Amino acid sequence: MIKPDFEKSGGLIPVIAQDWQSGEVLMLAYMNEEAWEKTLSTGKVHYFSRSRQKIWLKGESSGNVQLVKEIYLDCDLDTVLIKVEQLGGAACHTGYRSCFYRRLKDGKLEIVGEKIFDPEVVYGKKT
């Protein structure tokens, strides 16, 4: 079976999660081969946390799971685009629908995204 070339970049590849209906880019994270296999076998997106050095199921704490709809690999097999159904409405750990909820304008960031939940309530701590 075709799979990403994990060796090319030291075992981790970038993964873009995109809403399968609207096309909105929700987040960018990383996968190792184990996260890739878990994603394929469960139909739920798993990532590799670089800060925690472990596999995590997106939404395991918040309930905002990503269901796989389609998977695309780029021409070099070293980047993945996953079109997902975002359960719970929020992909970002800060509570916003997308991790790209701020726009740079006149040298400042302005919030343009929709906040879905309060991370202090969901995670019990500030993010």
Side-chain angles (χ1 to χ4, degrees), residues 66-78:
Q66 293 176 338
L67 301 179
V68 175
K69 292 299 186 176
E70 297 178 321
I71 298 176
Y72 294 80
L73 291 135
D74 78 336
C75 57
D76 294 324
L77 296 177
D78 60 5

Side-chain angles (χ1 to χ4, degrees), residues 18-57:
Q18 181 181 38
D19 184 276
W20 74 293
Q21 290 181 313
S22 71
E24 179 181 18
V25 174
L26 300 174
M27 59 182 282
L28 178 131
Y30 294 86
M31 273 186 185
N32 64 4
E33 195 162 357
E34 182 183 357
W36 168 258
E37 295 297 334
K38 284 182 178 269
T39 296
L40 293 180
S41 68
T42 65
K44 297 176 182 176
V45 184
H46 289 71
Y47 297 104
F48 182 81
S49 170
R50 294 177 300 162
S51 60
R52 294 178 283 165
Q53 290 291 297
K54 70 175 202 161
I55 303 291
W56 56 286
L57 167 64

